Amino acid sequence: MSRAVTVITAIFALAMPSAVAVAESAPPGEPDASPAACSLAATSETRTINDQRYLLRVPSGLTSAAPLLIALHGGGSNPTTYENQSGWTPFAARHKFIVAYPLGGKKDVPEPNRSWYFETATGPTSTSS
């Protein structure tokens, strides 16, 4: 089931025109990203944004803006394990898109196997009459 959800999410992300990696100006009051952060140069590295680590895989041969797939691992897993299990990195290399594998943000779960943290009661609530 989770593989099907991941595939559907990936297809949606790849089909969306807004899912391209391009350099944009930061909003007022926000620091600008470094030019290297938006480079099309092939890379395979771990990066950190606001204490959130992620693996970044940029395939060789990109010549313009490319789709970005954000691949979320399952609970109790981690980016490296999910990258190896999912097959997204070699698929992205063949089809020329970028993949980011973030580490789950729930910090009360010890590394390297983290879960995702979602606030409760953040959506609409319903009441029965």
Side-chain angles (χ1 to χ4, degrees):
M1 174 71 173
S2 69
R3 175 74 175 176
V5 171
T6 301
V7 170
I8 290 168
T9 303
I11 290 168
F12 178 74
L14 290 172
M16 293 298 296
S18 61
V20 294
V22 295
E24 295 181 4
S25 298
E30 300 266 335
D32 284 331
S34 71
C38 298
S39 171
L40 294 177
T43 190
S44 182
E45 62 188 24
T46 299
R47 293 191 176 181
T48 303
I49 296 177
N50 296 331
D51 295 325
Q52 179 68 46
R53 283 197 335 264
Y54 65 99
L55 301 178
L56 180 64
R57 305 301 187 234
V58 179
S60 62
L62 295 181
T63 58
S64 63
L68 168 65
L69 172 69
I70 300 174
L72 303 177
H73 63 75
S77 188
N78 60 68
T80 302
T81 298
Y82 185 58
E83 177 183 27
N84 294 331
Q85 293 172 341
S86 70
W88 283 124
T89 298
F91 185 80
R94 283 192 308 276
H95 297 281
K96 302 300 182 204
F97 64 91
I98 300 166
V99 185
Y101 300 89
L103 176 63
K106 192 166 187 199
K107 294 185 175 151
D108 63 342
V109 177
E111 287 191 44
N113 300 322
R114 284 228 183 125
S115 297
W116 294 99
Y117 178 76
F118 297 97
E119 292 286 334
T120 57
T122 57
T125 59
S126 61
T127 58
S128 302
S129 298

